[in-house]
Amino acid sequence: MKAMEGELLKIENLSLSLGGRQVLRELNLKVEPGAIHAILGTNAAGKTSLAYTIMGISGYTPKEGRIFFNGEEITHYPIFKRAQLGMTMAWQEPARFEGLTVEDYIKVGMKEKDPGLIKEALNFVLLEPREYLKRVVDKTLSGGERKRIELASVFAMKPLLAILDEPDSGIDVLALDHVVNLIKEMKRRGTTILLITHREEVAEIADKASLLCQGFIVKEGEAKEVGEYFKKKCLPCPVYNPEEKIEEVVEEK
Amino acid sequence: MSKDYEYMLKAYAESGGAPEVFKDSRVAHLVVHKNKVYGSHTVKGLVLEPRETETGVDISLLVEKGQKIEYPVHLCFGVLPDQGVQEIRIRAKIEDGAGVSLLAHCIFPNAVNVVHRMEAEIEIGNNAFYEYNEVHYHGTTGGVEVVPKAKVKVGDKSYFRTNFSLIKGRVGVFDLDYEADVGESSVLEMTARIFGYGDDRIKIREVGRLSGKGSRGLLKSRVAVKDNAQSEIFNELVASAPEARGHVDCVEIVQGNARAKATPIVSVLNEFARVTHEAAIGRVDKKQVETLMARGLEEEKAIDLVISGMLK
Ligand SMILES: Nc1ncnc2c1ncn2[C@@H]1O[C@H](COP(=O)(O)OP(=O)(O)OP(=O)(O)O)[C@@H](O)[C@H]1O
Ligand SMILES: [Mg+2]
């Protein structure tokens, strides 16, 4: 089945339960090609669960709803097939690998293994290629280094859609500017970005934004407007995630 | 050069060795086929004396006081026919202030019924080092039984390190047993990387006694088994001196009908010593595999890449 013209990613009526808890609820989302689309939400809103469901991670099979990518329904595709169609994800907490060098890790997703592009990707995230290409992607990397390598590997893959799960967390102020530049450059080169964050100042670089609360999308629109709303309403939200509040929030939408 | 020697060199190259080194006069070497010494060369500071026996070769290796051998000593042990027994006995002594690194290739490429026993006694003095890198290639039929045993005594302020690797071809039956006593401020490091399949049987027993003050020990095992292969690892570290530190680190990845078992034993006999262990046995880590799949690799290729990284 084909999705409507115009969206690269379309999610219809998606619900997901994990361990008996409903984590995503009747969620609808459209991401325009070429856009940076931010997903804003506080801790435990369901952002990572949404990313995993889109990517097809095991255990994150929706009980209801459909996902379309580039006009093709992918709801039940295995991860690698989604990736081969042109989507990928930078993990909030990326895995570590024994014996796999930074260079080899970045190469995994690249169709043409252009060494120039690998270096460019590392430079973008402020990691000196000479120093890092032969490092191993194992426990010896700091958390921030590992996250930046994750972003570099997504950059080098040149995907149609990059799901970036909190690319800003664990990144220091100096490197943050570079991460932001990298995201903008990815967009310039034609990658559509689903940018997950709970920092509204990062969401500012987005074109569009959706606000996720308790598994619902409670607000959608221009990134600036949604960001303002998030800052005013969500950050000070006094009662964290009370079940009875959800109805209210959804009403407001 | 005899035909057999030529075959030996060919098999040596196929198992990853570089036969040119046997012509380099700066590099000491020893090539043994069954119980015949095909080639032997030594360098200044190193006494290397092989003696042929009925079933193998007895080797005496001595690094003289204060001599640090510049290039790794290259050893090659093999049985080329499909049958045969080879028993290698090594008496090694590294005198005070001396050091040597060895690179051994053990090759049994056509084995159907081959037994290789290695028995080493290694004595390392003070301020000395001994490094033993061992690469095995057993062919693809699995008809090999390999039984390496070593007893090692490490003096003070010295270094002993072994790296065992068997990651191409079948294992057959493998039963390793190494024991080391470690003196004051000395370091022991034993690493084994093995990939087993078919009905391979892998057994590793490594014991480190950290009996010198401030001694250090690391026992590291990386094993992947699939099909009906089985692996059993006993790693034991005993710290009996103040400030002794040790760590046992064991990862075994299991696929198919394979079985794996790990028994890390850590004992501390001194209140100022500390030994830790970590063991992860089971299927390959899901998140690692899915990370690679999210870059477009099919599941099987992703698993292979995780395993080959672990065994590197
Ligand atoms: N496997 C699971 N089993 C049960 N509950 C889960 C599971 N994974 C996530 N959850 C729950 O789902 C909710 C959403 O989690 P998720 O990780 O998607 O949040 P998030 O928005 O990414 O939060 P954060 O900002 O902290 O990363 C949380 O309440 C979490 O505890
Ligand atoms: Mg998250």
Side-chain angles (χ1 to χ4, degrees):
Chain A
M1 185 162 303
K2 292 266 166 186
M4 272 168 54
E5 289 272 284
E7 309 97 24
L8 182 67
L9 178 73
K10 186 168 100 162
I11 296 174
E12 278 180 3
N13 202 29
L14 187 77
S15 293
L16 174 79
S17 288
L18 297 170
R21 292 195 57 235
Q22 197 164 358
V23 175
L24 300 175
R25 307 168 196 248
E26 293 156 30
L27 187 145
N28 290 289
L29 180 70
K30 287 177 185 172
V31 178
E32 308 286 327
I36 299 180
H37 191 122
I39 302 286
L40 273 163
T42 49
N43 286 134
K47 304 182 296 297
T48 296
S49 303
L50 175 60
Y52 283 12
T53 310
I54 299 170
M55 199 66 233
I57 301 302
S58 63
Y60 290 77
T61 309
K63 63 174 182 191
E64 252 177 274
R66 299 199 293 179
I67 306 169
F68 297 88
F69 178 62
N70 210 10
E72 193 171 342
E73 181 170 357
I74 60 160
T75 319
H76 298 289
Y77 281 9
I79 305 170
F80 71 87
K81 203 160 168 204
R82 299 176 200 223
Q84 287 169 359
L85 288 176
M87 73 158 69
T88 195
M89 177 171 83
W91 302 64
Q92 183 173 355
E93 276 161 37
R96 312 282 180 146
F97 297 85
E98 278 191 38
L100 195 62
T101 63
V102 169
E103 184 176 13
D104 290 341
Y105 179 67
I106 294 177
K107 271 187 190 164
V108 170
M110 295 172 76
K111 282 188 201 79
E112 297 136 41
K113 320 277 180 199
D114 170 14
L117 182 57
I118 300 177
K119 285 186 188 142
E120 191 185 12
L122 285 172
N123 280 324
F124 252 110
V125 290
L126 268 192
L127 298 175
E128 172 57 47
R130 251 175 311 152
E131 205 180 308
Y132 282 91
L133 279 171
K134 297 293 168 207
R135 288 279 301 269
V136 177
V137 191
D138 62 7
K139 289 182 224 160
T140 61
L141 290 171
S142 79
E145 285 171 331
R146 179 65 190 90
K147 287 212 59 152
R148 285 188 271 163
I149 287 159
E150 189 68 3
L151 289 170
S153 78
V154 170
F155 179 88
M157 186 176 164
K158 300 198 271 186
L160 290 175
L161 175 71
I163 305 164
L164 307 180
D165 193 355
E166 301 201 20
D168 50 324
S169 71
I171 304 278
D172 62 38
V173 193
L174 187 68
L176 186 61
D177 282 348
H178 288 75
V179 166
V180 165
N181 283 339
L182 174 113
I183 296 170
K184 289 180 177 161
E185 181 63 19
M186 278 172 74
K187 172 184 164 167
R188 212 182 60 73
R189 296 185 187 192
T191 294
T192 302
I193 289 147
L194 194 64
L195 175 59
I196 294 174
T197 181
H198 47 64
R199 300 236 297 249
E200 115 284 335
E201 70 271 25
V202 171
E204 261 173 28
I205 65 166
D207 304 294
K208 288 268 159 46
S210 301
L211 178 56
L212 195 63
C213 174
Q214 286 277 310
F216 284 108
I217 290 195
V218 294
K219 196 166 178 61
E220 259 177 327
E222 297 301 312
K224 205 160 174 55
E225 186 194 335
V226 178
E228 288 293 322
Y229 182 94
F230 176 71
K231 190 157 67 176
K232 272 208 221 95
K233 297 262 185 172
C234 302
L235 294 182
C237 181
V239 217
Y240 211 123
N241 299 331
E243 280 291 323
E244 63 274 18
K245 271 256 167 192
I246 298 164
E247 300 307 322
E248 243 175 78
V249 179
V250 175
E251 282 295 290
E252 224 172 291
K253 152 188 158 185
Chain B
M1 199 176 355
S2 81
K3 264 262 163 303
D4 280 352
Y5 188 39
E6 248 173 70
Y7 285 138
M8 236 350 232
L9 294 187
K10 199 163 157 266
Y12 178 74
E14 276 164 8
S15 72
E20 308 84 68
V21 304
F22 298 132
K23 292 187 199 130
D24 189 333
S25 63
R26 298 167 304 174
V27 180
H29 74 254
L30 176 63
V31 180
V32 175
H33 180 245
K34 286 180 80 174
N35 64 337
K36 292 278 173 285
V37 176
Y38 278 11
S40 169
H41 172 70
T42 190
V43 294
K44 185 176 167 283
L46 172 75
V47 180
L48 183 62
E49 289 172 344
R51 191 176 60 81
E52 293 175 358
T53 66
E54 212 165 289
T55 50
V57 174
D58 285 359
I59 299 159
S60 145
L61 183 151
L62 173 79
V63 185
E64 291 165 349
K65 195 169 171 182
Q67 296 288 339
K68 294 193 171 67
I69 307 305
E70 191 177 353
Y71 296 98
V73 177
H74 282 62
L75 308 174
C76 178
F77 303 110
V79 176
L80 292 180
D82 57 4
Q83 316 235 348
V85 176
Q86 182 177 57
E87 291 177 314
I88 306 288
R89 260 199 301 266
I90 301 180
R91 299 283 169 274
K93 190 170 159 86
I94 316 303
E95 294 185 334
D96 293 349
V100 67
S101 165
L102 298 104
L103 173 59
H105 282 79
C106 298
I107 45 185
F108 317 102
N110 311 305
V112 176
N113 188 5
V114 168
V115 179
H116 168 87
R117 283 192 203 95
M118 162 91 72
E119 218 183 285
E121 254 175 54
I122 301 160
E123 198 186 323
I124 300 163
N126 302 326
N127 294 301
F129 73 87
Y130 183 91
E131 184 179 296
Y132 194 77
N133 296 298
E134 189 172 355
V135 179
H136 277 234
Y137 179 64
H138 296 181
T140 52
T141 47
V144 192
E145 189 183 333
V146 168
V147 188
K149 288 192 191 319
K151 283 203 178 352
V152 186
K153 211 175 156 341
V154 188
D156 298 339
K157 300 199 181 88
S158 288
Y159 202 105
F160 173 72
R161 174 195 270 162
T162 60
N163 266 306
F164 180 91
S165 148
L166 200 177
I167 53 179
K168 260 200 284 182
R170 288 283 303 274
V171 174
V173 175
F174 178 75
D175 185 356
L176 176 142
D177 190 340
Y178 284 2
E179 285 182 23
D181 277 298
V182 188
E184 194 173 317
S185 302
S186 286
V187 178
L188 159 74
E189 243 186 82
M190 294 202 249
T191 304
R193 297 172 201 277
I194 303 180
F195 180 65
Y197 63 99
D199 52 10
D200 288 340
R201 293 289 175 271
I202 299 161
K203 200 167 141 195
I204 294 176
R205 177 177 175 270
E206 292 170 336
V207 178
R209 292 188 199 88
L210 307 176
S211 41
K213 182 177 175 225
S215 54
R216 299 269 183 281
L218 171 67
L219 305 181
K220 185 169 166 177
S221 324
R222 295 291 179 268
V223 173
V225 276
K226 66 177 190 184
D227 301 335
N228 293 306
Q230 293 186 13
S231 142
E232 233 182 312
I233 298 176
F234 300 89
N235 282 141
E236 182 174 356
L237 275 181
V238 184
S240 56
E243 287 157 50
R245 296 273 182 283
H247 185 62
V248 177
D249 175 1
C250 172
V251 179
E252 290 178 272
I253 293 180
V254 181
Q255 291 177 269
N257 287 321
R259 299 278 173 271
K261 197 169 154 180
T263 314
I265 303 173
V266 294
S267 30
V268 169
L269 311 176
N270 183 289
E271 63 172 321
F272 300 108
R274 183 178 156 83
V275 183
T276 49
H277 74 81
E278 58 184 312
I281 323 289
R283 59 177 288 187
V284 54
D285 183 74
K286 172 174 160 285
K287 186 167 177 178
Q288 291 178 338
V289 173
E290 292 188 330
T291 298
L292 299 173
M293 287 170 77
R295 299 287 184 271
L297 286 196
E298 287 170 26
E299 184 165 12
E300 217 163 283
K301 288 197 180 127
I303 291 172
D304 286 350
L305 186 57
V306 170
I307 291 176
S308 72
M310 179 192 85
L311 294 175
K312 216 185 272 169

